[in-house]
Amino acid sequence: MSPTAVTTDTAKTSQTSRRAVFPFTAIVGQEEMKLALLLNVIDPKIGGVMIMGDRGTGKSTTIRALADLLPEIEVIADDPFNSHPSDPELMSDGVRERMSLSEAIPVTRRKVQMIDLPLGATEDRVCGTIDIEKALAEGVKAFEPGLLAKANRGILYVDEVNLLDDHLVDVLLDSAASGWNTVEREGISIRHPARFVLVGSGNPEEGELRPQLLDRFGMHAEIRTVKEPSLRVKIVEQRTAFDQNPPEFLGEYQLSQEELQRRIVEAQERLSGINIDYDLRVKISQVCSELDVDGLRGDIVTNRAAKALAAFEGATEVTVDHIGRVITLCLRHRLRKDPLESIDSGNKVQKVFRQVFGLPEPDQN
């Protein structure tokens, strides 16, 4: 299915006219969070990231930096859902209908969207609304798109997700998993593509998500306030330099930003060809079994994340090292059976991983 595309320049915006965003490659520390975000961008089917940690540790700064880093994408210019010009799975029904009629459809390029979901958002604001009066009077499906429509093919960020209503969290996770959002009212049903990287963040002191909801996030990253004085000074100096002269600071990191962007694009292209040996897959499932992980999400996500990391590092096959670096992120939040329990720091996961894969204990010195 290929549209009659007419390329437009309306979305081409110069770097100078856009608001300056702190560069991703300049962010110091928080390697666990950065890795989880990169892997989800390479393979959105991993299922998103839950980031829990102290206040003021750069969660939102890092997520905005990642969105800004990503290359522009092709979209249908006059479509509110950021529909893909050639992939039917990422097109709205309206665009498909226009294509079936061989219409000339304008295509443009746009930065990947990062949508913030405010805590007080209603379900209508998130999912969109149907104007029943207009639908009945004019016989058309009058739909006002919500945040899920804007987030299609982008990043949806929910700060303090642990304080969000459980029902709304369910809606977000359902859309992230299926790639579609369906709105029904008074017998009228409208659906649109809603495939996005879901990123939630929060402070564990304010409460955790219920285990059933937490399990549906692909990965769980923990971040802590940097303790080393010299590193704290470096972070403060970098932020000060950026705030004083953003263009000059961005210029210093332009090459590293371009290099990382290239690696992400190549990893996305390489991903489908990455192989993971059957024996390694069995051992991943053995780790999940010995940790008493409910369901099979842990197995699936660990396989996907290991493949994404292999693709990012230019490998053709997944190794034990790749698995070891992602398995804690994929499993630690699936061990909690009781809502009052705390999330495993990763020691338990790593201990079982080393036992199953026959690896020695790390040197304590």
Side-chain angles (χ1 to χ4, degrees), residues 34 57 66 74 79 197 209-210 273 311-312 317 333 343:
K34 291 193 291 187
T57 46
L66 179 66
E74 285 195 337
D79 180 74
V197 175
L209 280 177
R210 288 190 290 114
F312 181 61
E317 291 203 357
H333 57 302
I343 301 290

Side-chain angles (χ1 to χ4, degrees), residues 91-152:
M91 281 180 197
S92 65
D93 292 339
V95 170
R96 293 193 204 192
E97 190 175 331
R98 290 166 64 189
M99 285 189 171
S100 68
L101 299 173
S102 300
E103 282 188 30
I105 300 176
V107 175
T108 188
R109 297 185 72 82
R110 185 177 298 160
K111 285 293 292 181
V112 169
Q113 297 261 34
M114 178 197 154
I115 304 299
D116 270 302
L117 191 148
L119 265 184
T122 61
E123 186 172 349
D124 283 351
R125 177 79 178 95
V126 173
C127 299
T129 56
I130 299 173
D131 187 335
I132 294 297
E133 290 183 8
K134 187 173 182 181
L136 294 176
E138 302 179 22
V140 295
K141 291 184 176 181
F143 181 62
E144 182 66 33
L147 295 175
L148 293 182
K150 294 180 180 179
N152 185 39

Side-chain angles (χ1 to χ4, degrees), residues 252-298:
E252 292 176 14
Y253 286 89
Q254 184 176 347
L255 289 178
S256 59
Q257 289 279 100
E258 291 173 354
E259 169 65 13
L260 182 54
Q261 185 184 88
R262 180 189 63 77
R263 289 181 65 192
I264 291 171
V265 172
E266 289 181 356
Q268 291 169 333
E269 295 170 349
R270 192 185 294 120
L271 183 62
S272 60
I274 301 297
N275 181 52
I276 179 166
D277 188 74
Y278 176 77
D279 185 52
L280 294 181
R281 281 181 275 145
V282 169
K283 286 183 176 178
I284 288 171
S285 290
Q286 186 180 341
V287 172
C288 294
S289 177
E290 293 194 13
L291 287 169
D292 195 25
V293 173
D294 291 336
L296 295 174
R297 281 199 186 103

Side-chain angles (χ1 to χ4, degrees), residues 22 26 39 59 63 120 162 191 218 225 229 271 284 312 332 358-359:
F22 195 86
L39 296 184
K59 297 187 286 286
I63 296 156
N162 46 330
R191 71 166 200 161
T225 303
L271 183 62
I284 288 171
F312 181 61
R332 63 149 63 101
L359 301 175

